[in-house]
Every structure is written in structure tokens, then in C-alpha cells.
Amino acid sequence: MAVYTDVAAEDLAEFLKSYDIGELLSYKGIAEGVENSNFLLHTSQGAFILTLYEKRVAEDDLPYFLSLMAHLAERGVSCPQPARNRKGEVTSRLAGRPAAIINFLEGVWPRRPNVAHCSGVGEALAKMHVAGRDFPLVRNNPLSVAGWRPLFDLAAARADSVQPGLHDFIARELDHLEAAWPTDLPVGVIHADLFPDNVFFLGDRLSGLIDFPFACNDILAYDVAICLNAWCFEPDHSFNVTKARALLNAYGRERPLSAAEEAALPLLARGAAMRFLLTRLVDFLNVPEGALVQPKDPLEYVRKLRFQQSVAAINDYGITPAGCAA
Ligand SMILES: Nc1ncnc2c1ncn2[C@@H]1O[C@H](COP(=O)(O)OP(=O)(O)O)[C@@H](O)[C@H]1O
Ligand SMILES: N[C@@H](CCOP(=O)(O)O)C(=O)O
């Protein structure tokens, strides 16, 4: 459960008086997520999610995420909407943390993503990229290539305690990524964390995207690479080409990848694997005392990174380099 900061019932009831979303009936910490503290609220007006933003979210960035959700919804991308308090603000403070309330989105995230789910997420990701084209705010990605070495520095001394040889493995790969990272690919608004637990479905139909605190402006195809890693591996760690093909084809129908983006995808997928390997490693080695959180397995991303190192070209993801349209 990700609850780093707890909230007393009286404080929450008082806090809700500054909103027009009804009276608090019940609330509980949410048993998922690792980044922020999330609570499910039931009020006399319905269900809401209260988020207290923790370590990786700067308060100054909250307007970016919260306006982005409104911008995307206006363009047909289903995602939660922030509630405004009586002063008209979408952010506020509670228990010493920046806080926001968003509406509850119906649906469940897929515990075992199938090919239809992968197709759904590919389509939704491309639609999000297209809808983000005229989003006026800009936020650089603090967790892109320039942010990886500082993360590694936080974990380097203890990396080998997680797996012997991990320190040198990461150090070598970081050298390669820093030297080879592309600078000329199309950029735009990316979600940057579109894992299965952030995509809700009703049956096989995608009902919405959640969890925008990593959203930023970065290489669009990097977002695709994050999804390939997050959606297309099986529990036995094998890469499922059928799922990758479905994801890439669905993406390409909405926003065709250029030849340069396709060619860069294996490298971007290595970088995407490195980014989640590093945040997981840092989190795994630094679980705050008393926090209710289940840290995610960094070694899952070592395996994914090793796979991506073996990928020669986009054909290995099940599609031909001529473009992503089926
Ligand atoms: N708008 C929402 N509607 C319904 N459930 C939500 C919503 N936002 C978050 N949740 C629930 O809270 C969990 C954790 O949220 P998430 O945003 O992934 O956490 P974190 O802030 O730690 O990244 C989700 O897996 C989901 O179960
Ligand atoms: N997706 C990240 C962790 C952060 O995501 P959350 O939605 O679970 O808070 C990972 O898998 O490492």
C-alpha cells in the first residue's frame, strides 16, 4: 500500500469543507501505487481520489499535470478530472503535503494484459500524444537520460547487494545510453508511466488513463518504448512479439512512427528499462521507515534491459520497418 503520509479523519473532514464535493462518509488508503499517498474517499456526492504528492513530485509541477488532464479530457482522452476547491484552485495542501482531489474513474487495470489490452493502450497512447500537441505548458523530464546518473549515484554503493555485478552492468549501460541517446526525434507531451496499473478497462474496452505525475515533454517514441517494456513481457520474462505488434500497430494507426523513430525504438527501450530499473533500485534500497509500500522489483527491469540490449531492429518487435500501420 502506498501511504507515506497518513491523514486523520478530522483533518480530512475539515479539509473537504473547502471543496464542494459533499461530506465525508468514509475513506481508506489505497493498496496500490508506489509514488504518492492515495486515498479513496466516499462523500455524500460520490467517490473521489485524494492524492498527497510525495518525493518525486515538485509542487510547482502540479498545475502541469492537473491542467493536462483537463486538456486531454476536452480532446476525448478519458482521464480523471481535478476537483476545484471553493477558491477555484485544483491544488491545495494537507498533512504538510501538496494535495489534489480527482474524480474516481470506473474500470479495473488488467492483471494479465492480453493482446486486446496491448492494442487498446497503443491506440490510447497515440491519441494522447496527438491530443497533447496544443497543450501550452512545458515540463522537462527530470527522469530522462540526464537524470539517470544522479539516480545511480544514490544506489551505486549498494547495487551489488541486490545482485552481484549489478553496479558494473548499470555503469556500462549508462555510458552507452548517455553517448547514444537521440536528440532529434519528435517530442511532445508524454505520460511517461503508462504501466498496466495506470490503464483502466471495462472488459477489453479501455475506460481511461490515470496517474499523470510523471507526465512531461520528451521524445514521443520514448513513451512507446516504456509501454513495450511494461506491457509486452510475460510472467516468465519472455517478450511477447504478438503483444508488441498489436501495441505498435494500434499506435501507428493513430500516429504513424517515422522511420527515425522506428530505428531508435530499441535504444529508447533500453533507456526506458534503465529509467525504471534505477527508480526501483533506489526505492528498493530506501524504503522509508513506517511507510506502507511494497517496493517494485528492480531485477525485473534488469531482465528487460538485457532483452532490449539483444534487440537489433524493430523487426524483433514483430513489425516491418516500413511504418506501423497494419
Ligand atoms: N481516478 C482514479 N479512479 C479510480 N482509482 C484510482 C484513481 N486514481 C488512482 N486510483 C487507484 O489508486 C491506485 C494508485 O494510484 P496511482 O496514481 O497509480 O498511484 P501513485 O500516485 O503512487 O502513482 C491505482 O492503481 C488505482 O487503483
Ligand atoms: N510504474 C513504476 C512505479 C510508479 O508507478 P505507480 O503507478 O505504481 O505509482 C514502476 O513500475 O516501477
Side-chain angles (χ1 to χ4, degrees), residues 124-140:
L125 183 69
K127 285 185 169 162
M128 191 204 124
H129 289 170
V130 171
R133 276 180 189 153
D134 58 344
F135 184 58
L137 304 184
V138 175
R139 174 179 185 255
N140 292 324

Side-chain angles (χ1 to χ4, degrees), residues 48-102:
F48 298 87
I49 302 288
L50 163 70
T51 302
L52 303 183
Y53 294 93
E54 304 284 348
K55 58 186 187 273
R56 290 208 177 95
V57 181
E59 194 159 4
D60 288 351
D61 287 335
L62 292 181
Y64 181 93
F65 315 129
L66 296 162
S67 338
L68 177 61
M69 291 197 279
H71 178 95
L72 294 176
E74 279 164 19
R75 284 154 185 78
V77 177
S78 171
C79 57
Q81 294 306 294
R84 289 187 183 277
N85 64 21
R86 293 181 195 281
K87 291 188 204 150
E89 300 157 339
V90 289
T91 60
S92 149
R93 287 192 77 83
L94 179 61
R97 297 271 173 224
I101 295 177
I102 57 175

Side-chain angles (χ1 to χ4, degrees), residues 245 248-249 252-253 255-265 313-326:
R245 184 186 300 121
L248 291 171
N249 280 340
R253 279 191 285 273
R255 179 185 171 269
L257 291 173
S258 68
E261 287 177 300
E262 287 187 349
L265 210 48
I314 193 164
N315 310 54
D316 294 351
Y317 300 137
I319 64 167
T320 49
C324 288

Side-chain angles (χ1 to χ4, degrees), residues 163 169 301-311:
Q163 186 177 68
F169 172 73
Y301 268 79
V302 172
R303 291 187 203 96
K304 291 180 177 180
L305 177 49
R306 287 192 197 282
F307 169 81
Q308 298 297 0
Q309 288 174 329
S310 76
V311 170

Side-chain angles (χ1 to χ4, degrees), residues 58 132 159 162 165 180 229 266:
V162 177
N229 284 337

Side-chain angles (χ1 to χ4, degrees), residues 2 30 32-38 49 51 80 102-106 109 193 197-198 200 210-211 213-214:
I30 292 182
E32 267 155 6
V34 296
E35 288 294 336
N36 301 302
S37 300
N38 289 292
I49 302 288
T51 302
I102 57 175
N103 66 296
F104 184 85
L105 200 71
E106 295 298 336
W109 66 267
D193 188 27
D197 62 349
N198 291 329
F200 285 6
I210 66 163
D211 201 7
F214 288 119

